[in-house]
Structure formats: C-alpha cells, structure tokens
Amino acid sequence: MRASVSPDTSPPRGHEAKRLSIVDAAAGVFCREGFAGANIDLIAAEAGVSRQTVYNHHGDKEKLFMAVVRDLTDRCNVGIFATIATFPDQPGDLEADLIGFAVRLNQNCICNRDGKFLRKLIQTEGERYPQLFAEWREQGPGTTWPAIAARFARLAYGGYLTIDDPDVAARQFFGLVNAELQTTFMLGGTPREDEVVQSATNGVRTFLRAFGRRPSPGNVKKHTALANA
Amino acid sequence: MRASVSPDTSPPRGHEAKRLSIVDAAAGVFCREGFAGANIDLIAAEAGVSRQTVYNHHGDKEKLFMAVVRDLTDRCNVGIFATIATFPDQPGDLEADLIGFAVRLNQNCICNRDGKFLRKLIQTEGERYPQLFAEWREQGPGTTWPAIAARFARLAYGGYLTIDDPDVAARQFFGLVNAELQTTFMLGGTPREDEVVQSATNGVRTFLRAFGRRPSPGNVKKHTALANA
DNA sequence: GACGATTTAGACAAGACTGTCTAAATTTAT
DNA sequence: ATAAATTTAGACAGTCTTGTCTAAATCGTC
C-alpha cells in the first residue's frame, strides 16, 4: 500500500511530457491520414522522439490510437463543462447572451484543435472500435447533453423560455446554431469567426421565435422577483 | 459523326455491369477501411472480378476513388431532386406534410446506402482531395440547397410561412429535423425509422413555432384563392 | 561523479500492398 | 464457327510498415 522508495513522482519529469507530445502528434497524424494510413515513424518524428519511445509508451498502434481518443475525450469534456458553466442562467439580454454562449461553445469546444480532431476520429474510425466509442458516447454526449438540457430547463423555469422537453430543446438549439456550418464541418474545415457568429445569431433568433416567452408577460417579473429575493 | 461499326453499344453488355459492380464494392471498402486501408484485392473479390479487371477499368487506386465519389454524388443528387419534387407546395396539413417531406429526404437520400457512403467519404477524405470535393460541393450542396430554399420561399409567398431569408430557413429546417440524429450520424450508424420520424416531428413543430403563419390570419385565404384562380 | 532509468539510432525479419506482366480462358458479336 | 475484345489467375519486383532487438548515449538524481 505505501510507496517505499519515491512518494508518487516515480516517473522522471520528462516522461509524462513525452507521453503527451506523442499523443498530441498521433492525434494529428491519425486525423490527417486515418488509422491505416498513419505512420508510426511520422508520429515519432512529429513528436520529436524516436520510434522506440513510442512503442515504449504505448506498446502498439491500436493502443496508441485508443489513448488518443481517451485523451481527446477528456480534454474536450473539460472544455465543454467549463463553457457550460458560462451559460446565462439569469440573462440580461437573452438573445445576446445565448448567442454569446453558442459562439463560446463553438470556438472553445467544437472548432478548436481537440474538438476538430475528436470529431474526425469518431467519424472515421467509430465503426471499427464499437467498445471504445461506446465509452466516448457515455463520457461525452452522455454527460454533456443532460448538463446543457438542465440549463435550458432552469431558463424555462425562470420564465425566460417556454419549453416542453428540455432535452429536445437543447439538441434543437445546437441544430439551429450550427445550421449554417454543416458543410464546413463535413469537410473538416474550421469556420471563420464571423461565420460562427452569423450562424449563431440566426439560430438563436429562430430558437427564440419558437421558444421565447409566450404565455403571460407577467410571468417573467414574478420569477425574477423571486430569484432576487 | 456517324458510328461506322456498331451504333452506340460499343462496349459489350457485361462491361458496364462490371464497372458498376467494381465501383459499388469499392464504395463499401473505402468507407469501411478508409482510402489507405482499402485493399484492391478485397475490392476485386467483393465485386466478383479479378484484380486485373479493376486496373483495366480504373487504372489506379486514386482514380478508382474519384470515380466512386463522382458516382455517389450523381446518384445522390438524382435521389435528392426526386425527393425535392415531392415538396408540399400547397399543403393540406402543413405540419404533417413537412414531416413527411423531412422523413422522405432522410430515408431516401441521407440514410440510404449511397447517402451514408458519400457522407463518410467526404468526412474522411475530403481534406486529401480539395479539388474533387470542391467539385462535389458545387454539384451537391451548391445545387440542392437553392432548390430547397426556393420551395420554402414559395411556401412563404403562398402565405403558409413567415420567412425572412429562405436560404437560412432551409438550412435551419434541416438542422432542426436532424437535431436528434447527430450522434448516430457521427458514428456512421443508421437511425431506426421511428427515430427519424420522432426527430422530424419535433423539428417541424419547432420550425412551425418559429416560422408558422403569424401576421394576419386572412393572409392565407387570399393567396390560396389567387392560386386557385 | 556515479548510478539507474530512459531514450536513441539503426538494423532486422516478416508480412502486406500496389501496379505490371503474361499466357490462357472466356465472352460477345458477326 | 470465328475473330476480336475482355477477363482471369498467377507470378513478380519494388516498396512500405510494423514491431522487435541491441548497444550506445543521454538524462535526472543523489
């Protein structure tokens, strides 16, 4: 149970750094070339290590691939939850706040390096590793969608929106907000910031036309008053 | 100008059939294995021809790949335009008719064999062949989106919808209607029919909450009367 | 400065794949 | 039936890749 020699920094300092740089390089190469086309020599070169070191760390091309997917999933999840934390629970300007949230999520989680890579690996190799990607599905969408849906539910409870099913609304929010980016995403491209903003703006406007406060105008005041009490 | 020997059936009967079966088999293998992982021996075996025949017909792995993408694009386009032709221009029950259209488009164009394959090839190899996929972009989305947008515009002109920008509305329609299928699409899966119907139903309802006839209730009658005149 | 762990370069065997070639077999149309 | 075109099976050279092995070099720490 107790560590006899060294406390818990057993691996030398550079060890983990190399591991990281290998996984990073591997992510890029796997994305560009696909699993079959990925060349371990090239990964080693891009990581700045020798081929043998790659094998020392990960043992196997397939194991390396799995490490890449798991790492990307973890890092993306961190980013997504950090962004969800910025969801406007008590919005001043609902439209502007939701647009801001959508843009943040796109820029920080979907369109950044990790997001792009993870998405591509899922698309290209998902069918080859059902177990690995079942894991991703649980860890990723399985945890993030409910979290987002909960935020929309709270917004509805606060009287800012009129929503039947928060889970459906959450997914539709994304469908709308990314509606104009689909073709770019398909080809693996990164939309320009103004495209992201444009799509988010149009999407949020439509979303609010559908779900914006409808029933009684007094509703909101009542709820906000309660929240401020 | 005139065909001297044989009218225009120059190639023997089985020739084109073999070409087709090669392209078909190649589509499946390229999708499953990726370009680099695709094995020409395997393609030949699945097509039921010898490897040499594959080379006789297409010359080269890369040329074969391009032939596959072009064939799929063509066939998908045919399907999409056939489905667009069933767009409800003068709907009886607008909600039901739009749901039907969305479901048809998904089942006949997006989720069928050709649609799945083309989508996957674009996702996985799009970045490797910029020119080829620029071609696809023109031939595919470049022609189908305007056609669909035109149908929505007509629906708006007929007073059935209140739409600012038909192009945006068309893309948002798809974002909504496929909102609940994204994860399945990502992993290359085929959603069950009831999932397609469910997502389409929820999507169309939201779409109509946003774009359904709003301004004056008399609007519709006037326009339909005109159309019937 | 010395020790243990890690990393490196390079060689290596085994296997897989592409694309070509040839000669025989088969199909198609006349 | 015959002639032309097409297809087939198989061998083949050349290239590439993975994963292992070894001996030397380097790093981090005491």
Side-chain angles (χ1 to χ4, degrees):
Chain A
M1 281 293 185
R2 65 213 149 96
S4 47
V5 183
S6 53
D8 69 316
T9 58
S10 322
R13 277 140 189 77
H15 196 70
E16 192 59 18
K18 288 210 189 281
R19 199 201 122 86
L20 242 280
S21 99
I22 291 169
V23 171
D24 255 30
V29 175
F30 278 132
C31 281
R32 279 208 314 277
E33 318 287 349
F35 179 83
N39 180 322
I40 298 223
D41 283 343
L42 181 58
I43 293 174
E46 287 198 13
V49 303
S50 74
R51 177 176 59 246
Q52 188 57 47
T53 301
V54 176
Y55 283 105
N56 286 346
H57 276 267
H58 296 99
D60 195 312
K61 192 178 183 182
E62 199 156 306
K63 290 205 194 74
L64 172 57
F65 178 76
M66 292 184 176
V68 167
V69 173
R70 294 210 177 91
D71 261 45
L72 286 176
T73 304
D74 287 351
R75 262 185 289 176
C76 283
N77 260 18
V78 169
I80 292 175
F81 277 103
T83 303
I84 290 177
T86 72
F87 189 89
D89 282 322
Q90 292 169 11
D93 178 341
L94 185 55
E95 180 178 306
D97 290 350
L98 283 179
I99 291 170
F101 174 70
V103 170
R104 279 195 299 280
L105 204 74
N106 252 327
Q107 298 286 39
N108 301 336
C109 309
I110 315 284
C111 298
N112 68 347
R113 197 189 122 98
D114 290 343
K116 261 183 66 175
F117 282 2
L118 181 56
R119 198 156 14 102
K120 179 133 190 192
L121 292 184
I122 291 162
Q123 288 170 348
T124 58
E125 312 292 344
E127 282 170 294
R128 194 193 311 283
Y129 302 94
Q131 203 175 336
L132 176 61
F133 286 93
E135 208 177 285
W136 161 80
R137 207 168 164 158
E138 258 181 62
Q139 287 292 316
T143 68
T144 52
W145 279 120
I148 296 172
R151 294 312 191 103
F152 278 107
R154 192 191 292 195
L155 226 40
Y157 181 74
Y160 298 101
L161 297 173
T162 303
I163 289 176
D164 287 336
D165 183 333
D167 292 291
V168 169
R171 283 191 285 265
Q172 290 186 339
F173 179 80
F174 276 91
L176 284 170
V177 148
N178 291 330
E180 298 169 44
L181 310 175
Q182 290 303 322
T183 308
T184 304
F185 281 159
M186 255 225 194
L187 281 159
T190 306
R192 294 192 316 273
E193 164 144 18
D194 64 277
E195 292 173 321
V196 172
V197 171
Q198 182 66 239
S199 184
T201 302
N202 289 337
V204 167
R205 284 197 182 132
T206 297
F207 185 80
L208 289 180
R209 278 173 75 155
F211 296 115
R213 161 176 74 250
R214 193 81 54 88
S216 76
N219 238 351
V220 184
K221 295 253 161 92
K222 226 193 315 182
H223 273 289
T224 28
L226 234 89
N228 288 344
Chain B
M1 281 292 185
R2 65 213 150 95
S4 49
V5 182
S6 53
D8 69 317
T9 58
S10 322
R13 276 139 189 77
H15 195 71
E16 192 59 20
K18 289 211 189 279
R19 199 200 123 86
L20 242 279
S21 99
I22 291 169
V23 171
D24 255 30
V29 175
F30 278 132
C31 281
R32 280 208 314 278
E33 317 288 348
F35 179 82
N39 180 321
I40 298 221
D41 283 343
L42 181 58
I43 292 174
E46 287 199 14
V49 304
S50 74
R51 175 175 61 246
Q52 186 58 48
T53 300
V54 175
Y55 284 105
N56 286 345
H57 274 268
H58 297 99
D60 195 308
K61 192 179 183 182
E62 200 155 306
K63 290 204 194 75
L64 172 57
F65 179 78
M66 293 185 175
V68 167
V69 172
R70 294 211 176 90
D71 261 45
L72 285 176
T73 303
D74 287 350
R75 264 185 289 175
C76 283
N77 260 18
V78 169
I80 292 174
F81 276 104
T83 303
I84 290 177
T86 72
F87 189 90
D89 282 323
Q90 291 169 12
D93 178 340
L94 183 57
E95 180 178 307
D97 289 350
L98 283 179
I99 291 171
F101 174 70
V103 170
R104 279 195 300 279
L105 203 75
N106 252 326
Q107 299 286 39
N108 302 337
C109 310
I110 316 285
C111 297
N112 67 349
R113 199 188 120 97
D114 290 342
K116 262 183 65 176
F117 282 1
L118 181 57
R119 196 153 18 98
K120 179 134 189 191
L121 292 184
I122 291 162
Q123 288 170 346
T124 58
E125 312 292 345
E127 281 170 294
R128 194 191 311 283
Y129 301 93
Q131 202 175 335
L132 176 60
F133 286 94
E135 207 178 285
W136 161 79
R137 210 170 164 156
E138 258 181 63
Q139 287 293 316
T143 67
T144 53
W145 279 121
I148 296 173
R151 294 311 191 105
F152 278 108
R154 193 193 291 195
L155 225 40
Y157 181 74
Y160 298 101
L161 297 172
T162 304
I163 288 176
D164 288 336
D165 183 333
D167 292 292
V168 170
R171 282 191 286 264
Q172 291 186 338
F173 180 80
F174 276 93
L176 284 170
V177 146
N178 291 329
E180 299 170 40
L181 309 176
Q182 289 304 322
T183 308
T184 303
F185 281 160
M186 255 224 192
L187 281 158
T190 306
R192 294 192 315 274
E193 164 144 18
D194 63 278
E195 292 173 321
V196 172
V197 172
Q198 180 66 237
S199 184
T201 301
N202 289 337
V204 167
R205 285 200 182 130
T206 297
F207 185 81
L208 289 180
R209 278 173 76 155
F211 296 115
R213 160 175 78 251
R214 194 80 56 89
S216 76
N219 238 350
V220 184
K221 296 253 164 91
K222 225 193 315 180
H223 273 290
T224 27
L226 233 91
N228 288 345

